[in-house]
Amino acid sequence: MIASKAMRFIDEQRFLEEMRSFGLDLSEDRRYLRFRNVDATMGFDFTNLSMPGSDDDVFDSLNAREGGVEAIMVRSAVDMMESARLFPIYLFASDNEWLDEDPAPLLQQGLLTENEAKALTAIVESGHAMDVIVLEPEELDIAVDIITPQICALGSTCFAVDIKGRAYTLFSQDDEVSFNTLDKNIYRMARGYVSGLSKLPFDIIW
C-alpha cells in the first residue's frame, strides 16, 4: 500500500521530548528507547529461533519475497498493538533514515515488495526520511510495509510507540520484536491477543 495522503509526520526532537515527559528515554548510543522505571516494565518478545534446515527455515525461504517469518512477526505485533488500543502510534527510526539507498536493486532482488518500495519512496520523496511517522488505526498495512523492510532488507532498528508513551514495540535488525509497557491493563490485552494466535512460525518469549 502506498503511503496515504493522510500520513502525518513530526520532528524527531519533538517526539523525544514528548517521550521523556512520559518516562521514556533514549539510550546513550541513541539507538534504543527504554522506560525510566525499568523494574516496573512488563513485556515479551517474538524471535525467529528456527535452525537451518528446519521446517520453519524452509517456510521462511519459500516466503522470502514477502518477508517470510519477519513479515509475520511485524504483522502480528502491529495487530497486537491495535488490539490493545494503542493506535494512533508513532513510528521512530532510531539508527537510520527510513530508506537511505536506491530501492530499485532491492526490489529486483526480491528484498523489497512493490508496496514496501512505494511506501518508503513516498516518505523519502516528501522530505520526511528522518522524521517520526504518525499512523492511525486504518493505516495498519502501511505500518507493516514501512517496518518490515527495516528488519529484513535495510538492517535498521525502529520502534512503534503509543503516542501517550504507555507502550512501545522494538523491531531490530537481529529479527527480534520486543513489546514493553508499564500499564498492567495494556499488558493484559496485548498478552491475551498474542496468546490467542496459533500456528506461528516464530517463538514467543514471555
Side-chain angles (χ1 to χ4, degrees), residues 138-165:
E138 61 271 20
E139 297 175 300
L140 287 173
D141 289 343
I142 294 175
V144 174
D145 285 339
I146 294 170
I147 296 169
T148 302
Q150 307 306 317
I151 67 172
C152 291
L154 303 174
S156 299
T157 299
C158 64
F159 294 81
V161 189
D162 165 44
I163 65 171
K164 297 180 181 178

PDB file of all heavy atoms in Angstrom, residues 138-165:
ATOM      1  N   GLU A 138      -6.447   2.854  10.745  1.00  0.00           N
ATOM      2  CA  GLU A 138      -6.733   2.422   9.380  1.00  0.00           C
ATOM      3  C   GLU A 138      -5.470   2.307   8.523  1.00  0.00           C
ATOM      4  O   GLU A 138      -5.546   1.909   7.349  1.00  0.00           O
ATOM      5  CB  GLU A 138      -7.726   3.377   8.714  1.00  0.00           C
ATOM      6  CG  GLU A 138      -7.277   4.807   8.584  1.00  0.00           C
ATOM      7  CD  GLU A 138      -7.638   5.672   9.789  1.00  0.00           C
ATOM      8  OE1 GLU A 138      -7.898   5.115  10.882  1.00  0.00           O
ATOM      9  OE2 GLU A 138      -7.664   6.909   9.615  1.00  0.00           O
ATOM     10  N   GLU A 139      -4.315   2.642   9.097  1.00  0.00           N
ATOM     11  CA  GLU A 139      -3.060   2.576   8.352  1.00  0.00           C
ATOM     12  C   GLU A 139      -2.169   1.421   8.823  1.00  0.00           C
ATOM     13  O   GLU A 139      -0.951   1.476   8.706  1.00  0.00           O
ATOM     14  CB  GLU A 139      -2.321   3.907   8.482  1.00  0.00           C
ATOM     15  CG  GLU A 139      -3.092   5.070   7.864  1.00  0.00           C
ATOM     16  CD  GLU A 139      -2.420   6.419   8.098  1.00  0.00           C
ATOM     17  OE1 GLU A 139      -2.247   6.801   9.266  1.00  0.00           O
ATOM     18  OE2 GLU A 139      -2.062   7.079   7.099  1.00  0.00           O
ATOM     19  N   LEU A 140      -2.793   0.365   9.303  1.00  0.00           N
ATOM     20  CA  LEU A 140      -2.047  -0.811   9.757  1.00  0.00           C
ATOM     21  C   LEU A 140      -1.165  -1.386   8.649  1.00  0.00           C
ATOM     22  O   LEU A 140      -0.003  -1.742   8.876  1.00  0.00           O
ATOM     23  CB  LEU A 140      -3.009  -1.901  10.246  1.00  0.00           C
ATOM     24  CG  LEU A 140      -3.719  -1.687  11.580  1.00  0.00           C
ATOM     25  CD1 LEU A 140      -4.744  -2.794  11.801  1.00  0.00           C
ATOM     26  CD2 LEU A 140      -2.725  -1.676  12.719  1.00  0.00           C
ATOM     27  N   ASP A 141      -1.717  -1.499   7.443  1.00  0.00           N
ATOM     28  CA  ASP A 141      -0.958  -2.074   6.332  1.00  0.00           C
ATOM     29  C   ASP A 141       0.266  -1.227   5.997  1.00  0.00           C
ATOM     30  O   ASP A 141       1.328  -1.754   5.657  1.00  0.00           O
ATOM     31  CB  ASP A 141      -1.843  -2.217   5.094  1.00  0.00           C
ATOM     32  CG  ASP A 141      -2.891  -3.308   5.245  1.00  0.00           C
ATOM     33  OD1 ASP A 141      -2.726  -4.161   6.145  1.00  0.00           O
ATOM     34  OD2 ASP A 141      -3.868  -3.306   4.476  1.00  0.00           O
ATOM     35  N   ILE A 142       0.112   0.093   6.095  1.00  0.00           N
ATOM     36  CA  ILE A 142       1.245   0.982   5.828  1.00  0.00           C
ATOM     37  C   ILE A 142       2.324   0.768   6.878  1.00  0.00           C
ATOM     38  O   ILE A 142       3.520   0.738   6.563  1.00  0.00           O
ATOM     39  CB  ILE A 142       0.784   2.456   5.811  1.00  0.00           C
ATOM     40  CG1 ILE A 142      -0.157   2.695   4.623  1.00  0.00           C
ATOM     41  CG2 ILE A 142       1.988   3.391   5.725  1.00  0.00           C
ATOM     42  CD1 ILE A 142      -0.757   4.077   4.592  1.00  0.00           C
ATOM     43  N   ALA A 143       1.914   0.601   8.134  1.00  0.00           N
ATOM     44  CA  ALA A 143       2.880   0.351   9.204  1.00  0.00           C
ATOM     45  C   ALA A 143       3.706  -0.898   8.900  1.00  0.00           C
ATOM     46  O   ALA A 143       4.933  -0.903   9.041  1.00  0.00           O
ATOM     47  CB  ALA A 143       2.157   0.206  10.545  1.00  0.00           C
ATOM     48  N   VAL A 144       3.046  -1.950   8.457  1.00  0.00           N
ATOM     49  CA  VAL A 144       3.739  -3.196   8.134  1.00  0.00           C
ATOM     50  C   VAL A 144       4.691  -2.994   6.956  1.00  0.00           C
ATOM     51  O   VAL A 144       5.827  -3.480   6.968  1.00  0.00           O
ATOM     52  CB  VAL A 144       2.727  -4.323   7.827  1.00  0.00           C
ATOM     53  CG1 VAL A 144       3.447  -5.589   7.353  1.00  0.00           C
ATOM     54  CG2 VAL A 144       1.883  -4.630   9.062  1.00  0.00           C
ATOM     55  N   ASP A 145       4.253  -2.253   5.936  1.00  0.00           N
ATOM     56  CA  ASP A 145       5.090  -2.018   4.760  1.00  0.00           C
ATOM     57  C   ASP A 145       6.318  -1.176   5.094  1.00  0.00           C
ATOM     58  O   ASP A 145       7.361  -1.299   4.446  1.00  0.00           O
ATOM     59  CB  ASP A 145       4.288  -1.310   3.663  1.00  0.00           C
ATOM     60  CG  ASP A 145       3.315  -2.240   2.956  1.00  0.00           C
ATOM     61  OD1 ASP A 145       3.532  -3.465   3.018  1.00  0.00           O
ATOM     62  OD2 ASP A 145       2.356  -1.741   2.354  1.00  0.00           O
ATOM     63  N   ILE A 146       6.211  -0.316   6.098  1.00  0.00           N
ATOM     64  CA  ILE A 146       7.344   0.521   6.490  1.00  0.00           C
ATOM     65  C   ILE A 146       8.305  -0.240   7.400  1.00  0.00           C
ATOM     66  O   ILE A 146       9.522  -0.165   7.236  1.00  0.00           O
ATOM     67  CB  ILE A 146       6.851   1.800   7.210  1.00  0.00           C
ATOM     68  CG1 ILE A 146       6.071   2.692   6.224  1.00  0.00           C
ATOM     69  CG2 ILE A 146       8.024   2.566   7.820  1.00  0.00           C
ATOM     70  CD1 ILE A 146       5.352   3.846   6.895  1.00  0.00           C
ATOM     71  N   ILE A 147       7.761  -0.992   8.348  1.00  0.00           N
ATOM     72  CA  ILE A 147       8.595  -1.649   9.361  1.00  0.00           C
ATOM     73  C   ILE A 147       9.315  -2.876   8.817  1.00  0.00           C
ATOM     74  O   ILE A 147      10.508  -3.073   9.080  1.00  0.00           O
ATOM     75  CB  ILE A 147       7.742  -2.043  10.582  1.00  0.00           C
ATOM     76  CG1 ILE A 147       7.172  -0.807  11.275  1.00  0.00           C
ATOM     77  CG2 ILE A 147       8.578  -2.858  11.573  1.00  0.00           C
ATOM     78  CD1 ILE A 147       6.108  -1.121  12.323  1.00  0.00           C
ATOM     79  N   THR A 148       8.614  -3.721   8.056  1.00  0.00           N
ATOM     80  CA  THR A 148       9.197  -4.992   7.623  1.00  0.00           C
ATOM     81  C   THR A 148      10.543  -4.824   6.910  1.00  0.00           C
ATOM     82  O   THR A 148      11.496  -5.548   7.218  1.00  0.00           O
ATOM     83  CB  THR A 148       8.213  -5.782   6.740  1.00  0.00           C
ATOM     84  OG1 THR A 148       7.004  -5.999   7.468  1.00  0.00           O
ATOM     85  CG2 THR A 148       8.795  -7.128   6.343  1.00  0.00           C
ATOM     86  N   PRO A 149      10.689  -3.881   5.958  1.00  0.00           N
ATOM     87  CA  PRO A 149      11.990  -3.741   5.294  1.00  0.00           C
ATOM     88  C   PRO A 149      13.107  -3.321   6.240  1.00  0.00           C
ATOM     89  O   PRO A 149      14.281  -3.600   5.970  1.00  0.00           O
ATOM     90  CB  PRO A 149      11.736  -2.643   4.250  1.00  0.00           C
ATOM     91  CG  PRO A 149      10.263  -2.606   4.068  1.00  0.00           C
ATOM     92  CD  PRO A 149       9.680  -2.983   5.382  1.00  0.00           C
ATOM     93  N   GLN A 150      12.751  -2.653   7.344  1.00  0.00           N
ATOM     94  CA  GLN A 150      13.790  -2.209   8.268  1.00  0.00           C
ATOM     95  C   GLN A 150      14.538  -3.394   8.860  1.00  0.00           C
ATOM     96  O   GLN A 150      15.759  -3.354   9.026  1.00  0.00           O
ATOM     97  CB  GLN A 150      13.177  -1.353   9.396  1.00  0.00           C
ATOM     98  CG  GLN A 150      12.326  -0.182   8.943  1.00  0.00           C
ATOM     99  CD  GLN A 150      13.038   0.747   7.986  1.00  0.00           C
ATOM    100  OE1 GLN A 150      14.207   1.088   8.174  1.00  0.00           O
ATOM    101  NE2 GLN A 150      12.342   1.163   6.929  1.00  0.00           N
ATOM    102  N   ILE A 151      13.815  -4.473   9.177  1.00  0.00           N
ATOM    103  CA  ILE A 151      14.470  -5.626   9.802  1.00  0.00           C
ATOM    104  C   ILE A 151      14.834  -6.717   8.798  1.00  0.00           C
ATOM    105  O   ILE A 151      15.494  -7.676   9.167  1.00  0.00           O
ATOM    106  CB  ILE A 151      13.617  -6.216  10.944  1.00  0.00           C
ATOM    107  CG1 ILE A 151      12.311  -6.840  10.428  1.00  0.00           C
ATOM    108  CG2 ILE A 151      13.311  -5.156  11.979  1.00  0.00           C
ATOM    109  CD1 ILE A 151      11.536  -7.594  11.504  1.00  0.00           C
ATOM    110  N   CYS A 152      14.427  -6.549   7.558  1.00  0.00           N
ATOM    111  CA  CYS A 152      14.755  -7.544   6.521  1.00  0.00           C
ATOM    112  C   CYS A 152      15.852  -7.025   5.595  1.00  0.00           C
ATOM    113  O   CYS A 152      16.977  -7.490   5.641  1.00  0.00           O
ATOM    114  CB  CYS A 152      13.504  -7.884   5.712  1.00  0.00           C
ATOM    115  SG  CYS A 152      12.262  -8.804   6.637  1.00  0.00           S
ATOM    116  N   ALA A 153      15.530  -6.039   4.773  1.00  0.00           N
ATOM    117  CA  ALA A 153      16.456  -5.590   3.735  1.00  0.00           C
ATOM    118  C   ALA A 153      17.421  -4.504   4.195  1.00  0.00           C
ATOM    119  O   ALA A 153      18.537  -4.405   3.695  1.00  0.00           O
ATOM    120  CB  ALA A 153      15.656  -5.079   2.532  1.00  0.00           C
ATOM    121  N   LEU A 154      16.993  -3.672   5.159  1.00  0.00           N
ATOM    122  CA  LEU A 154      17.765  -2.467   5.479  1.00  0.00           C
ATOM    123  C   LEU A 154      18.599  -2.579   6.749  1.00  0.00           C
ATOM    124  O   LEU A 154      19.458  -1.735   7.006  1.00  0.00           O
ATOM    125  CB  LEU A 154      16.809  -1.265   5.574  1.00  0.00           C
ATOM    126  CG  LEU A 154      15.971  -1.017   4.315  1.00  0.00           C
ATOM    127  CD1 LEU A 154      14.955   0.081   4.550  1.00  0.00           C
ATOM    128  CD2 LEU A 154      16.889  -0.662   3.140  1.00  0.00           C
ATOM    129  N   GLY A 155      18.331  -3.583   7.576  1.00  0.00           N
ATOM    130  CA  GLY A 155      19.128  -3.788   8.785  1.00  0.00           C
ATOM    131  C   GLY A 155      19.060  -2.641   9.757  1.00  0.00           C
ATOM    132  O   GLY A 155      20.070  -2.270  10.363  1.00  0.00           O
ATOM    133  N   SER A 156      17.897  -2.050   9.926  1.00  0.00           N
ATOM    134  CA  SER A 156      17.738  -0.900  10.811  1.00  0.00           C
ATOM    135  C   SER A 156      16.932  -1.263  12.052  1.00  0.00           C
ATOM    136  O   SER A 156      16.254  -2.287  12.098  1.00  0.00           O
ATOM    137  CB  SER A 156      17.040   0.242  10.066  1.00  0.00           C
ATOM    138  OG  SER A 156      17.802   0.658   8.956  1.00  0.00           O
ATOM    139  N   THR A 157      17.000  -0.386  13.038  1.00  0.00           N
ATOM    140  CA  THR A 157      16.223  -0.538  14.263  1.00  0.00           C
ATOM    141  C   THR A 157      15.146   0.530  14.293  1.00  0.00           C
ATOM    142  O   THR A 157      15.429   1.706  14.044  1.00  0.00           O
ATOM    143  CB  THR A 157      17.128  -0.392  15.509  1.00  0.00           C
ATOM    144  OG1 THR A 157      18.119  -1.410  15.483  1.00  0.00           O
ATOM    145  CG2 THR A 157      16.319  -0.505  16.790  1.00  0.00           C
ATOM    146  N   CYS A 158      13.914   0.131  14.579  1.00  0.00           N
ATOM    147  CA  CYS A 158      12.847   1.118  14.666  1.00  0.00           C
ATOM    148  C   CYS A 158      11.865   0.735  15.765  1.00  0.00           C
ATOM    149  O   CYS A 158      11.896  -0.377  16.293  1.00  0.00           O
ATOM    150  CB  CYS A 158      12.136   1.293  13.327  1.00  0.00           C
ATOM    151  SG  CYS A 158      11.264  -0.169  12.720  1.00  0.00           S
ATOM    152  N   PHE A 159      10.997   1.667  16.086  1.00  0.00           N
ATOM    153  CA  PHE A 159      10.045   1.487  17.171  1.00  0.00           C
ATOM    154  C   PHE A 159       8.648   1.924  16.750  1.00  0.00           C
ATOM    155  O   PHE A 159       8.489   2.903  16.022  1.00  0.00           O
ATOM    156  CB  PHE A 159      10.444   2.341  18.390  1.00  0.00           C
ATOM    157  CG  PHE A 159      11.726   1.927  19.042  1.00  0.00           C
ATOM    158  CD1 PHE A 159      12.950   2.320  18.516  1.00  0.00           C
ATOM    159  CD2 PHE A 159      11.713   1.144  20.183  1.00  0.00           C
ATOM    160  CE1 PHE A 159      14.143   1.941  19.120  1.00  0.00           C
ATOM    161  CE2 PHE A 159      12.899   0.758  20.794  1.00  0.00           C
ATOM    162  CZ  PHE A 159      14.111   1.156  20.264  1.00  0.00           C
ATOM    163  N   ALA A 160       7.644   1.186  17.225  1.00  0.00           N
ATOM    164  CA  ALA A 160       6.253   1.619  17.142  1.00  0.00           C
ATOM    165  C   ALA A 160       5.864   1.998  18.565  1.00  0.00           C
ATOM    166  O   ALA A 160       5.941   1.168  19.474  1.00  0.00           O
ATOM    167  CB  ALA A 160       5.361   0.493  16.621  1.00  0.00           C
ATOM    168  N   VAL A 161       5.480   3.247  18.772  1.00  0.00           N
ATOM    169  CA  VAL A 161       5.296   3.772  20.121  1.00  0.00           C
ATOM    170  C   VAL A 161       3.907   4.369  20.280  1.00  0.00           C
ATOM    171  O   VAL A 161       3.451   5.168  19.450  1.00  0.00           O
ATOM    172  CB  VAL A 161       6.350   4.866  20.428  1.00  0.00           C
ATOM    173  CG1 VAL A 161       6.304   5.257  21.899  1.00  0.00           C
ATOM    174  CG2 VAL A 161       7.752   4.408  20.042  1.00  0.00           C
ATOM    175  N   ASP A 162       3.229   3.984  21.347  1.00  0.00           N
ATOM    176  CA  ASP A 162       1.962   4.608  21.701  1.00  0.00           C
ATOM    177  C   ASP A 162       2.188   6.107  21.877  1.00  0.00           C
ATOM    178  O   ASP A 162       3.146   6.515  22.543  1.00  0.00           O
ATOM    179  CB  ASP A 162       1.455   3.981  23.010  1.00  0.00           C
ATOM    180  CG  ASP A 162       0.348   4.779  23.672  1.00  0.00           C
ATOM    181  OD1 ASP A 162      -0.573   5.227  22.953  1.00  0.00           O
ATOM    182  OD2 ASP A 162       0.418   4.968  24.900  1.00  0.00           O
ATOM    183  N   ILE A 163       1.349   6.944  21.289  1.00  0.00           N
ATOM    184  CA  ILE A 163       1.586   8.390  21.345  1.00  0.00           C
ATOM    185  C   ILE A 163       1.467   8.946  22.765  1.00  0.00           C
ATOM    186  O   ILE A 163       1.901  10.070  23.019  1.00  0.00           O
ATOM    187  CB  ILE A 163       0.647   9.167  20.386  1.00  0.00           C
ATOM    188  CG1 ILE A 163      -0.816   9.035  20.808  1.00  0.00           C
ATOM    189  CG2 ILE A 163       0.863   8.737  18.944  1.00  0.00           C
ATOM    190  CD1 ILE A 163      -1.732   9.964  20.018  1.00  0.00           C
ATOM    191  N   LYS A 164       0.905   8.158  23.691  1.00  0.00           N
ATOM    192  CA  LYS A 164       0.825   8.581  25.096  1.00  0.00           C
ATOM    193  C   LYS A 164       1.963   7.986  25.919  1.00  0.00           C
ATOM    194  O   LYS A 164       1.996   8.134  27.147  1.00  0.00           O
ATOM    195  CB  LYS A 164      -0.527   8.184  25.689  1.00  0.00           C
ATOM    196  CG  LYS A 164      -1.711   8.856  25.010  1.00  0.00           C
ATOM    197  CD  LYS A 164      -3.029   8.416  25.635  1.00  0.00           C
ATOM    198  CE  LYS A 164      -4.212   9.081  24.920  1.00  0.00           C
ATOM    199  NZ  LYS A 164      -5.513   8.630  25.498  1.00  0.00           N
ATOM    200  N   GLY A 165       2.884   7.302  25.255  1.00  0.00           N
ATOM    201  CA  GLY A 165       4.053   6.774  25.930  1.00  0.00           C
ATOM    202  C   GLY A 165       3.792   5.618  26.863  1.00  0.00           C
ATOM    203  O   GLY A 165       4.627   5.288  27.714  1.00  0.00           O
TER     204      GLY A 165
END
